[in-house]
Amino acid sequence: MINEQLMGFAALCDGELDDILGHVRHRIETAGEKGVDVPEDLFERVERLGAQRGWPPMR
């Protein structure tokens, strides 16, 4: 089952991955605005992936 999920994820095109990452970034930013704690490792990982795409920092 995990192999099938990984194969499906690997089949996504870059545009789809950008959409997913953008959605996650938006959720993290919204959570921060509402005072919800976001795990630092998650924040850093998403920030790093966004930087690789040339996106501005979330902070």
Side-chain angles (χ1 to χ4, degrees), residues 11 28 32 38 40 50-52:
I28 289 173
V38 176
E40 190 65 26
Q52 290 173 354

Side-chain angles (χ1 to χ4, degrees), residues 25-54:
R25 279 176 52 104
H26 175 71
R27 292 292 188 161
I28 289 173
E29 290 172 334
T30 301
E33 291 170 2
K34 296 188 181 285
V36 176
D37 289 332
V38 176
E40 190 65 26
D41 60 331
L42 174 63
F43 182 92
E44 290 173 357
R45 188 175 303 165
V46 171
E47 184 79 353
R48 186 173 58 250
L49 290 170
Q52 290 173 354
R53 287 163 170 77

